[in-house]
Amino acid sequence: MKNFVVKTIANAGALAVAIWLIGSITLEGGSTGRKALTLILVALIFGLVNFLVKPVVQLLTFPLFILTLGLITLVVNALMLMLTSWLAGVFDLSFHVEGFWTAVLGGLIISVVSWALNVVLPDEN
């Protein structure tokens, strides 16, 4: 359970950095508390997408992974971020990613920040 909470906090932090750095990734809401709650909910959705959908997509794109020497991972991460944005819209959360190239840059930022946070934060079960 603790590992799940740590990963969710890391995802929320990485999403917050991407929102802060990229103007085309938006998180709207009234108060700071409302934005924080929305960010945590989006982080949960993002974690769920990465847990359930990403392995299937990676398996299906494995030949492209070999052909592109792993660069297809940027595209897969962008698609996962776009799917998270779409699901956030379905759940009426005010998180939006505008366009594919914004998602590629956002996915890259989220990957780097999430990796750094997972190195720093404790990893216990």
Side-chain angles (χ1 to χ4, degrees):
M1 181 67 173
K2 191 181 239 186
N3 192 24
F4 173 75
V5 172
V6 168
K7 297 240 184 248
T8 302
I9 291 170
N11 278 339
L15 285 165
V17 170
I19 291 165
W20 179 60
L21 289 176
I22 303 172
S24 299
I25 299 177
T26 58
L27 177 71
E28 299 170 358
S31 65
T32 303
R34 182 79 176 157
K35 284 183 180 179
L37 178 62
T38 302
L39 186 62
I40 294 295
L41 292 174
V42 170
L44 287 170
I45 293 171
F46 187 66
L48 192 62
V49 164
N50 280 330
F51 180 73
L52 295 176
V53 179
K54 191 174 182 178
V56 175
V57 173
Q58 285 178 330
L59 181 65
L60 294 175
T61 60
F62 185 71
L64 288 174
F65 182 81
I66 293 171
L67 186 65
T68 64
L69 302 175
L71 289 176
I72 193 72
T73 304
L74 292 173
V75 174
V76 171
N77 288 342
L79 292 174
M80 297 305 106
L81 188 58
M82 291 179 75
L83 179 60
T84 301
S85 175
W86 178 77
L87 286 171
V90 168
F91 291 117
D92 200 28
L93 299 171
S94 57
F95 174 77
H96 184 67
V97 177
E98 288 185 31
F100 175 74
W101 292 110
T102 300
V104 170
L105 183 58
L108 182 62
I109 290 170
I110 289 169
S111 295
V112 170
V113 172
S114 181
W115 170 80
L117 287 175
N118 282 319
V119 166
V120 172
L121 293 173
D123 189 22
E124 299 176 7
N125 290 325

